Amino acid sequence: MTAESEKKTPTNVTVWNENIHEREDEAIAARYPNGIHGAIASIFESNDYEVETTTLQREEQGVPQSLLDRTDVLIWWEHVAHDEITDETVRRIKERVHDGMGIIFLHSAKDSPVFSSLLGATGHSKWENNGSREYLWAVNPSHPIAQGLDECTKIPNAATYGEPFDIPKPDSQVFTSWFEGGDVFRSGVCFQRGMGKIFYFRPGDEEYPIYHHDGVRQILRNAVDWAASKNQSSP
Amino acid sequence: MTAESEKKTPTNVTVWNENIHEREDEAIAARYPNGIHGAIASIFESNDYEVETTTLQREEQGVPQSLLDRTDVLIWWEHVAHDEITDETVRRIKERVHDGMGIIFLHSAKDSPVFSSLLGATGHSKWENNGSREYLWAVNPSHPIAQGLDECTKIPNAATYGEPFDIPKPDSQVFTSWFEGGDVFRSGVCFQRGMGKIFYFRPGDEEYPIYHHDGVRQILRNAVDWAASKNQSSP
Amino acid sequence: MTAESEKKTPTNVTVWNENIHEREDEAIAARYPNGIHGAIASIFESNDYEVETTTLQREEQGVPQSLLDRTDVLIWWEHVAHDEITDETVRRIKERVHDGMGIIFLHSAKDSPVFSSLLGATGHSKWENNGSREYLWAVNPSHPIAQGLDECTKIPNAATYGEPFDIPKPDSQVFTSWFEGGDVFRSGVCFQRGMGKIFYFRPGDEEYPIYHHDGVRQILRNAVDWAASKNQSSP
Amino acid sequence: MTAESEKKTPTNVTVWNENIHEREDEAIAARYPNGIHGAIASIFESNDYEVETTTLQREEQGVPQSLLDRTDVLIWWEHVAHDEITDETVRRIKERVHDGMGIIFLHSAKDSPVFSSLLGATGHSKWENNGSREYLWAVNPSHPIAQGLDECTKIPNAATYGEPFDIPKPDSQVFTSWFEGGDVFRSGVCFQRGMGKIFYFRPGDEEYPIYHHDGVRQILRNAVDWAASKNQSSP
């Protein structure tokens, strides 16, 4: 930190999407005309970031080593492709996280083999796609990922996830969700592996326009800034 | 642990109550004819425990050194007497916890000077006495305090507490509460100070018959067993 | 817990050894005539335990599903066979830990693919085989694994391990080692994955008679008791 | 974070010293001609900081409310004055930390009533003033407080502190010390209370020129930057 003027280097953000729902379901395609990855990438359209998108369908499942090597923070959206992710893809990402790349898992990506490989637990939880109201409470309001938000971020319609959520004890728990049907969920949790920072963030079903929600976009911006700060990782 | 037959020493449980509401409000007196302390003490009527009750009105605020010295686990119910608790009472309890006595804080006892003295934070949170439904989810289902319960412990009417809850990061988070009005709360959290184990448990307003609820009684029994096991403290 | 007399079910302990040094080096064979696994198994010769040993050379790398299914706590000694352990072996053990089996990794087993798979980090550290004195300090003296020991467990000759040690933040840190050459190491650390408890314990090089040391044997007994208590896992 | 040029506001650092040894012992006065507080303050002579010093002998024990209100990070050096610190001083500092002021406790300040009040434990440990070599290992090398250092920070002569160290489980453990006599110590540990960040750092006996050591000065600079970043507190 310095009191002098300085110019920040942009953060390199890569948004990966399995990109299956958008191609198979017209309603989802209409909701996300540039894909879920496109909607997420639009959060990072500023001089602070260099953003690119990639999908499962590309070479080396969309994450060749060269792309990982230039990525500061990888955002991962995965829902139905869990069985398609190869051991080689998992290994490549895991090593790059150990080496310092941040990674943000969204929504069902908790069931990804990449998630399980980095955390050692299954990531399984209860689940129901019921369009419930979801209230995201910041239980650690001084955490960098909780900055600039209302006390409670309200999402009108979302899929419900419920505890128990099979994860290791998080290094930090930032958000807990309330769902109108009676469930709670640890919706924003932080981990570290090697030099790399990991954030899991729950909201994001393809059935609802979650990634157009201002609060969600603010949280993802905060999460990328947090995960990119290689040397700001611990409490 | 041994495969031989053996006889366990009973756990000495002391239930302390500020004992103010019961003496001033007929409805509460009817709900708890033996005081809130009496209702809690009745949980421990078995050969596994030796239980006694005490109140703020007694000598040395009900917790003389001799009583603390023979107590394995102290249960603390405090709501409106926060300003009456003396520094000397706080000091005596704090030292005994450091020395190995377990302590269980119930409900508004999170605002007690004893709580703040042991944890270093204020314990403050949002609060509304609205008779809401409360669902207690075990977010750490393998924790000893969560044993023998349904997946979700449902309380028909309770006061609502809401995040943010000003506590240090818990050593273990056992329960998270859902309230019908939209709030969530870390309702069961564990800490350790010195050799003593600390459990905070949210349910317990004097306005509702919480301590007659089977699930709540099971949790308090589990919590006493956990807090009494001096050498079983950590994950 | 009950004040009645009761008979405990014995804990089923399985000791797995890669069993390579003992067969290739006469000095090591002399030190451990029944193998390292035999020396470790002898710790559990009492009515409290049913112990069996197994090695990498057996069918299904010594850990068929049927053996894992009847095991409460698996002890794992691995040093030079890291590349031989198959993905299938790793998967089988990982699932069984999630399901509630305890596991104790000894010494270089921190570099095992089983360890990395459960913790998500590499387990790498500095290393030098120099016959240093090692002092094991209990930094969490109230932890069950630290019971019945001197304040400091002294090992006359050991291999040196040094920080940084690439592991996730432990749920509990029980021991820190001092080595005469100037290194320190987190030698006893606890984790949980799913319903299963994990303990890593550093001492144990094949070059020194570590598993004949009374303090080490007490710690391993404590660790098995801790890891077997499925519902006593958290702080 | 922004890619634009910007000018940082300086961090307001206040260095508090009990200031007793320097006035009573000529050798210590020679070592620290401007007091220990003066030596520490000299670390922060740059445009990034506004630093002031204060001592126990001043009005309101050197920490009037107005000074606390303008302080971003308070550094606290206390050794023999533990019994002189008033409850009012403790209360004033504790509330300001809850409100967001960072605090760094040095050396014997672990035995201060301010420390115990914020953490709830005694802070006691083993101790011997023997001029031992001390090696500070960064066990969490990606933590902001460990940046810009050698892998191991070597101090030629120091007082020895030894485990067990009676503190709550830290939110982050940054350094572990090795002492030539056989002791280890958690020398750099982080906590949070309310909105305020807390760092304890062991080195600093008045008998040795610790605060002239380049590595120690770098660590204190890092610690102030970390503790001042109100919204960067958690892992």
Side-chain angles (χ1 to χ4, degrees):
Chain A
M1 239 185 281
T2 149
E4 318 276 291
S5 301
E6 57 179 41
K7 190 150 175 96
K8 293 270 176 47
T9 308
T11 298
N12 290 294
V13 181
T14 299
V15 183
W16 182 94
N17 182 10
E18 63 175 33
N19 193 31
I20 295 173
H21 295 297
E22 298 92 326
R23 301 184 307 158
E24 296 182 351
D25 182 315
E26 285 186 15
I28 295 170
R31 189 171 301 116
Y32 290 118
N34 301 312
I36 289 174
H37 47 293
I40 295 171
S42 72
I43 300 172
F44 301 99
E45 286 169 348
S46 91
N47 292 333
D48 296 344
Y49 309 96
E50 295 279 355
V51 64
E52 55 191 306
T53 61
T54 184
T55 64
L56 175 62
Q57 293 77 27
R58 296 200 187 163
E59 204 176 351
E60 300 195 61
Q61 303 207 308
V63 278
Q65 190 65 47
S66 57
L67 174 58
L68 292 175
D69 284 346
R70 68 175 179 266
T71 298
D72 294 316
V73 182
L74 177 63
I75 298 179
W76 197 262
W77 200 96
E78 181 185 320
H79 188 193
V80 293
H82 307 322
D83 293 342
E84 295 181 44
I85 311 297
T86 65
D87 289 351
E88 179 53 26
T89 295
V90 168
R91 188 201 56 71
R92 215 159 50 227
I93 296 173
K94 186 174 180 175
E95 285 184 12
R96 183 67 185 98
V97 170
H98 288 170
D99 193 43
M101 181 183 73
I103 189 163
I104 298 171
F105 291 99
L106 296 175
H107 199 55
S108 299
K110 69 181 185 56
D111 297 303
S112 169
V114 184
F115 186 89
S116 174
S117 166
L118 278 163
L119 297 187
T122 65
H124 294 340
S125 71
K126 294 200 302 173
W127 176 85
E128 191 183 358
N129 192 350
N130 54 3
S132 164
R133 273 184 300 151
E134 175 176 11
Y135 292 176
L136 277 159
W137 291 96
V139 298
N140 187 346
S142 71
H143 195 281
I145 300 182
Q147 299 317 302
L149 298 170
D150 293 338
E151 178 183 64
C152 178
T153 300
K154 299 187 174 185
I155 297 173
N157 296 102
T160 293
Y161 281 15
E163 296 278 350
F165 179 22
D166 181 25
I167 49 172
K169 191 164 97 160
D171 291 347
S172 198
Q173 179 180 348
V174 185
F175 299 108
T176 295
S177 284
W178 172 98
F179 295 95
E180 60 184 296
D183 281 288
V184 297
F185 198 75
R186 286 170 290 170
S187 281
V189 283
C190 300
F191 302 91
Q192 178 154 349
R193 290 297 180 271
M195 303 297 278
K197 291 154 86 175
I198 300 167
F199 183 58
Y200 169 74
F201 186 57
R202 201 213 71 82
D205 199 85
E206 70 285 356
E207 300 278 343
Y208 313 102
I210 303 287
Y211 297 119
H212 300 312
H213 185 287
D214 284 346
V216 166
R217 293 169 76 87
Q218 176 70 46
I219 290 167
L220 290 179
R221 211 177 291 116
N222 290 344
V224 162
D225 290 348
W226 171 81
S229 57
K230 284 193 197 56
N231 297 328
Q232 302 290 334
S233 53
S234 294
Chain B
M1 237 183 280
T2 149
E4 317 276 290
S5 301
E6 57 180 41
K7 190 151 175 94
K8 292 272 175 47
T9 309
T11 299
N12 290 294
V13 181
T14 299
V15 183
W16 182 94
N17 182 10
E18 63 175 34
N19 192 32
I20 294 174
H21 295 296
E22 298 92 327
R23 301 184 307 158
E24 297 182 350
D25 182 316
E26 285 186 15
I28 295 169
R31 188 170 304 116
Y32 290 118
N34 301 313
I36 289 174
H37 47 293
I40 295 172
S42 72
I43 300 172
F44 301 98
E45 285 169 350
S46 91
N47 292 333
D48 297 345
Y49 310 96
E50 295 279 355
V51 64
E52 55 191 306
T53 61
T54 186
T55 63
L56 175 63
Q57 294 77 28
R58 296 200 188 163
E59 205 177 350
E60 301 197 59
Q61 303 208 310
V63 277
Q65 190 65 48
S66 57
L67 175 57
L68 292 175
D69 285 347
R70 69 176 178 266
T71 298
D72 294 315
V73 182
L74 177 62
I75 299 179
W76 197 261
W77 200 98
E78 182 185 320
H79 187 192
V80 293
H82 307 323
D83 293 342
E84 294 181 45
I85 310 297
T86 65
D87 288 351
E88 180 51 28
T89 295
V90 169
R91 187 200 58 71
R92 215 159 50 228
I93 296 173
K94 186 174 180 174
E95 285 185 12
R96 183 68 185 98
V97 171
H98 288 171
D99 194 44
M101 181 182 74
I103 189 163
I104 298 172
F105 292 98
L106 296 175
H107 198 55
S108 300
K110 70 182 184 54
D111 298 303
S112 169
V114 184
F115 186 88
S116 173
S117 165
L118 279 164
L119 297 187
T122 66
H124 295 338
S125 70
K126 293 199 302 173
W127 176 85
E128 191 184 357
N129 192 350
N130 55 2
S132 165
R133 273 184 299 151
E134 175 175 11
Y135 291 175
L136 278 159
W137 290 97
V139 298
N140 187 345
S142 71
H143 195 282
I145 301 181
Q147 299 317 302
L149 299 170
D150 293 337
E151 177 185 65
C152 178
T153 300
K154 300 188 175 185
I155 297 174
N157 296 101
T160 293
Y161 280 16
E163 296 278 349
F165 179 21
D166 181 26
I167 49 172
K169 190 164 97 160
D171 291 347
S172 198
Q173 180 180 349
V174 185
F175 299 107
T176 295
S177 284
W178 172 98
F179 296 94
E180 61 185 296
D183 281 288
V184 298
F185 199 74
R186 286 170 289 171
S187 281
V189 284
C190 300
F191 303 92
Q192 178 154 350
R193 290 297 180 272
M195 303 298 278
K197 291 154 87 174
I198 301 167
F199 183 59
Y200 169 74
F201 186 57
R202 201 212 71 81
D205 200 84
E206 70 284 357
E207 300 279 343
Y208 313 102
I210 303 288
Y211 297 118
H212 301 312
H213 184 286
D214 284 346
V216 167
R217 292 169 76 87
Q218 176 69 46
I219 290 168
L220 290 179
R221 212 177 291 115
N222 291 345
V224 162
D225 290 347
W226 171 81
S229 57
K230 284 193 197 55
N231 297 328
Q232 303 289 334
S233 53
S234 296
Chain C
M1 236 183 282
T2 149
E4 318 276 289
S5 300
E6 57 180 42
K7 191 153 173 94
K8 292 273 176 46
T9 309
T11 298
N12 289 294
V13 181
T14 299
V15 183
W16 182 95
N17 181 11
E18 62 176 34
N19 193 31
I20 294 174
H21 296 297
E22 298 91 326
R23 300 183 309 158
E24 297 182 350
D25 182 315
E26 284 187 15
I28 295 170
R31 189 172 302 116
Y32 290 118
N34 301 313
I36 289 174
H37 48 292
I40 295 171
S42 72
I43 300 171
F44 301 97
E45 285 169 351
S46 92
N47 292 333
D48 297 344
Y49 310 96
E50 296 280 355
V51 63
E52 54 191 308
T53 61
T54 184
T55 63
L56 175 62
Q57 294 77 28
R58 296 199 188 165
E59 206 178 349
E60 302 196 59
Q61 303 209 308
V63 277
Q65 190 65 49
S66 57
L67 175 57
L68 291 176
D69 284 346
R70 69 174 178 265
T71 298
D72 294 316
V73 182
L74 177 63
I75 298 179
W76 197 261
W77 200 97
E78 181 185 319
H79 186 192
V80 294
H82 307 323
D83 293 341
E84 294 181 46
I85 310 297
T86 65
D87 289 351
E88 181 51 27
T89 295
V90 169
R91 187 200 58 71
R92 216 161 47 228
I93 296 173
K94 185 174 181 176
E95 285 184 12
R96 183 68 187 98
V97 170
H98 288 171
D99 194 44
M101 181 183 75
I103 189 164
I104 297 172
F105 292 99
L106 295 175
H107 199 54
S108 300
K110 69 180 184 57
D111 297 303
S112 169
V114 184
F115 186 87
S116 174
S117 166
L118 279 164
L119 297 187
T122 65
H124 294 340
S125 70
K126 293 198 303 170
W127 176 85
E128 190 183 0
N129 193 348
N130 54 2
S132 164
R133 273 183 300 150
E134 174 176 13
Y135 291 175
L136 276 159
W137 290 96
V139 297
N140 187 347
S142 70
H143 195 282
I145 300 181
Q147 300 317 302
L149 299 170
D150 292 339
E151 178 183 65
C152 178
T153 300
K154 300 187 175 185
I155 298 173
N157 296 102
T160 292
Y161 281 15
E163 296 278 351
F165 179 21
D166 181 26
I167 49 171
K169 191 164 95 158
D171 291 346
S172 198
Q173 180 181 347
V174 185
F175 298 108
T176 295
S177 283
W178 172 97
F179 295 95
E180 61 184 296
D183 281 287
V184 297
F185 198 73
R186 287 170 290 172
S187 280
V189 282
C190 300
F191 302 91
Q192 178 154 349
R193 291 295 182 271
M195 304 296 279
K197 291 155 87 174
I198 300 166
F199 183 59
Y200 169 74
F201 187 58
R202 200 211 73 80
D205 199 85
E206 70 283 357
E207 300 278 344
Y208 313 102
I210 303 287
Y211 297 118
H212 300 312
H213 185 287
D214 284 345
V216 167
R217 292 169 76 88
Q218 176 69 47
I219 290 168
L220 290 179
R221 211 177 291 115
N222 291 344
V224 162
D225 290 347
W226 171 81
S229 58
K230 282 192 197 58
N231 297 328
Q232 303 289 334
S233 53
S234 296
Chain D
M1 237 182 278
T2 149
E4 318 274 290
S5 301
E6 58 179 42
K7 192 154 172 95
K8 292 272 177 47
T9 308
T11 297
N12 289 294
V13 181
T14 298
V15 183
W16 182 95
N17 181 11
E18 62 176 35
N19 193 31
I20 294 173
H21 295 297
E22 299 92 325
R23 300 184 309 159
E24 296 181 351
D25 182 315
E26 284 186 15
I28 295 170
R31 189 171 303 115
Y32 290 118
N34 301 313
I36 289 175
H37 46 295
I40 295 172
S42 72
I43 300 172
F44 300 98
E45 285 169 351
S46 92
N47 291 333
D48 297 345
Y49 309 96
E50 294 279 355
V51 63
E52 55 191 305
T53 61
T54 185
T55 64
L56 175 62
Q57 294 78 26
R58 295 200 188 164
E59 205 177 348
E60 301 194 60
Q61 303 207 309
V63 278
Q65 190 65 48
S66 56
L67 174 58
L68 292 175
D69 285 346
R70 68 175 179 265
T71 299
D72 294 316
V73 182
L74 178 63
I75 298 179
W76 196 261
W77 200 97
E78 182 185 319
H79 187 191
V80 293
H82 306 322
D83 293 341
E84 295 181 45
I85 311 296
T86 66
D87 289 351
E88 180 51 28
T89 294
V90 168
R91 186 201 58 73
R92 216 160 46 227
I93 296 173
K94 186 174 180 176
E95 285 185 12
R96 183 69 186 97
V97 170
H98 288 171
D99 194 45
M101 182 182 74
I103 190 163
I104 298 171
F105 292 98
L106 295 175
H107 199 55
S108 300
K110 70 182 184 55
D111 297 303
S112 168
V114 184
F115 186 88
S116 174
S117 166
L118 279 163
L119 297 187
T122 65
H124 295 339
S125 70
K126 293 199 303 171
W127 175 85
E128 189 183 359
N129 192 350
N130 54 2
S132 164
R133 272 185 300 151
E134 175 176 11
Y135 291 175
L136 277 159
W137 290 96
V139 297
N140 187 346
S142 71
H143 195 281
I145 300 181
Q147 300 316 302
L149 300 169
D150 293 338
E151 179 183 64
C152 178
T153 300
K154 300 188 175 185
I155 297 173
N157 296 102
T160 293
Y161 281 15
E163 296 278 351
F165 179 21
D166 181 25
I167 49 172
K169 191 165 95 159
D171 291 346
S172 199
Q173 180 180 349
V174 185
F175 299 108
T176 295
S177 283
W178 173 98
F179 295 95
E180 60 185 297
D183 281 288
V184 297
F185 198 73
R186 287 170 289 172
S187 281
V189 284
C190 300
F191 303 92
Q192 178 154 349
R193 290 296 181 271
M195 304 296 279
K197 292 155 86 175
I198 300 166
F199 183 59
Y200 170 73
F201 186 58
R202 201 212 71 81
D205 200 85
E206 70 284 356
E207 301 278 343
Y208 313 103
I210 303 286
Y211 297 118
H212 301 311
H213 185 287
D214 284 345
V216 167
R217 293 170 76 88
Q218 176 70 46
I219 290 168
L220 290 179
R221 211 177 292 116
N222 290 345
V224 162
D225 290 348
W226 171 81
S229 58
K230 284 191 196 58
N231 297 327
Q232 303 290 334
S233 52
S234 297

